[in-house]
């Protein structure tokens, strides 16, 4: 009887151990799958970082180019590459005409508003 009980106990222990081994193997497989997913995600993130760095480099190059262009234009302005006297006179006349036209427009609008109220 003792031997039969011992065999039953050992069989129960073997079954419990087998179940534990199956659970451990299942967990290990899930862990491997998670590791694979994380590796793929990491690679995707690294590609995004590389793309971001490239974009940042291009942006910095563009900024440097624009700064150089601004400096060049500023230098040209300082050297007098702006308008000549005739162009400045024409600009002043056109500015005066624009101001007069704006005044006329405002006056006509006031007249029209007043006439609409009547």
């Amino acid at each position: 009887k003792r031997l039969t009980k011992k065999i039953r106990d050992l069989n129960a222990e073997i079954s419990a151990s087998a179940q534990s081994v199956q659970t451990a193997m299942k967990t290990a497989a899930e862990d491997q799958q998670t590791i694979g997913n994380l590796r793929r995600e990491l690679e995707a993130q690294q590609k995004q970082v590389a793309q971001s760095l490239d974009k940042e480099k291009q942006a910095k190059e563009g900024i440097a180019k624009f700064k150089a262009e601004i400096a060049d234009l500023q230098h040209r302005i300082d050297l007098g590459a702006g308008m000549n006297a005739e162009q400045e006179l024409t600009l002043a006349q056109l500015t005066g005409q624009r101001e007069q036209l704006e005044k006329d427009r405002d006056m006509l609008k006031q007249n029209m508003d007043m006439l609409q109220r009547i």
Side-chain angles (χ1 to χ4, degrees):
K1 286 184 176 181
R2 270 191 311 170
L3 189 57
T4 306
K5 185 178 188 268
K6 184 75 169 174
I7 290 172
R8 283 187 200 139
D9 289 345
L10 287 174
N11 278 338
E13 190 177 327
I14 289 171
S15 294
S17 294
Q19 201 165 21
S20 294
V21 168
Q22 285 179 344
T23 303
M25 288 177 67
K26 183 179 176 184
T27 302
E30 290 172 355
D31 288 348
Q32 287 300 320
Q33 186 177 5
T34 302
I35 288 169
N37 290 338
L38 290 173
R39 281 187 178 147
R40 284 188 291 279
E41 189 176 320
L42 178 63
E43 289 172 2
Q45 294 296 326
Q46 287 174 335
K47 285 179 185 177
Q48 286 180 343
V49 167
Q51 289 173 348
S52 294
L53 290 174
D54 287 342
K55 286 181 182 178
E56 182 181 2
K57 181 182 175 186
Q58 290 174 354
K60 284 182 179 181
E61 289 171 356
I63 289 170
K65 178 183 171 186
F66 289 135
K67 283 183 178 180
E69 190 175 333
I70 288 170
D72 180 53
L73 292 172
Q74 186 66 43
H75 180 69
R76 286 183 184 184
I77 289 171
D78 291 343
L79 291 177
M83 295 185 284
N84 61 31
E86 183 180 335
Q87 289 172 330
E88 288 181 17
L89 179 62
T90 303
L91 178 63
Q93 289 173 347
L94 290 172
T95 302
Q97 287 177 356
R98 185 184 75 201
E99 290 172 1
Q100 185 60 43
L101 288 171
E102 287 173 352
K103 288 177 186 177
D104 292 346
R105 179 199 64 202
D106 293 341
M107 189 181 311
L108 288 171
K109 185 176 182 202
Q110 287 175 352
N111 289 342
M112 187 175 73
D113 290 342
M114 191 168 59
L115 289 174
Q116 285 179 347
R117 290 183 201 153
I118 295 178

